Amino acid sequence: MTGSKDHATPKTFVLVHGVFGGGWYWRRVSGVLQTKGHRVFSPTLTGLGERSHLLSKDINLDTHITDIVNVIKWEDLEDICLVAHSYGGVPASGAIEQIGSRVSSIVWVDAFKPEDGQKQADKTSFRQALLDSAEKGS
């Protein structure tokens, strides 16, 4: 059976968290994948989670897209399974435009998947909530 053979081949996963998380959000999933021999990268997006000290009014969707793209470029990752959860689907979609040739599969886990030209602000008030938090220093 070729299907079982494919599952034995180690894969590289890039896991993108939602708005109220960080790379640590994927800890249990990462552990399971790593014990099966896979490589796992779960970057925390700038201004969120343990990187919340970097939150500022200058952080935008392009910042989060760059966070994902840079992990893939600097780690020289190829044949990636890109996994996006919730808000993570928005910057993941943008990242695919830059690193699409390095992605072999995509998993959307209850993720926002914007249409061409659609902005996250069209779906939620996330950006305003971030700006309000930055102004308050929280």
Side-chain angles (χ1 to χ4, degrees):
M1 292 174 71
T2 59
S4 60
K5 190 186 262 187
D6 291 340
H7 292 290
T9 304
K11 188 89 175 138
T12 299
F13 290 84
V14 175
L15 311 175
V16 183
H17 62 84
V19 71
F20 298 111
W24 50 266
Y25 180 85
W26 296 101
R27 189 176 304 129
R28 290 196 297 174
V29 172
S30 295
V32 170
L33 291 169
Q34 288 169 334
T35 60
K36 296 185 182 289
H38 302 291
R39 294 176 61 203
V40 181
F41 297 83
S42 53
T44 295
L45 302 176
T46 302
L48 304 176
E50 72 274 15
R51 299 183 71 206
S52 61
H53 63 286
L54 299 174
L55 183 61
S56 79
K57 63 180 177 39
D58 298 325
I59 294 172
N60 58 29
L61 178 57
D62 290 332
T63 308
H64 292 162
I65 291 169
T66 301
D67 288 337
I68 298 166
V69 168
N70 279 349
V71 166
I72 292 165
K73 284 183 176 178
W74 285 94
E75 294 288 348
D76 196 25
L77 305 179
E78 300 281 344
D79 193 27
I80 300 161
C81 176
L82 182 62
V83 180
H85 174 250
S86 188
Y87 162 77
V90 179
S93 295
I96 289 168
E97 292 180 11
Q98 296 180 42
I99 47 85
S101 64
R102 297 175 181 234
V103 177
S104 60
S105 57
I106 305 165
V107 178
W108 306 102
V109 181
D110 197 22
F112 289 107
K113 188 176 166 198
E115 301 297 323
D116 255 357
Q118 185 180 33
K119 297 180 180 175
Q120 178 66 9
D122 296 340
K123 293 188 173 196
T124 69
S125 58
F126 167 70
R127 177 148 174 76
Q128 189 58 50
L130 269 183
L131 290 173
D132 292 345
S133 291
E135 280 185 29
K136 293 176 188 173
S138 61

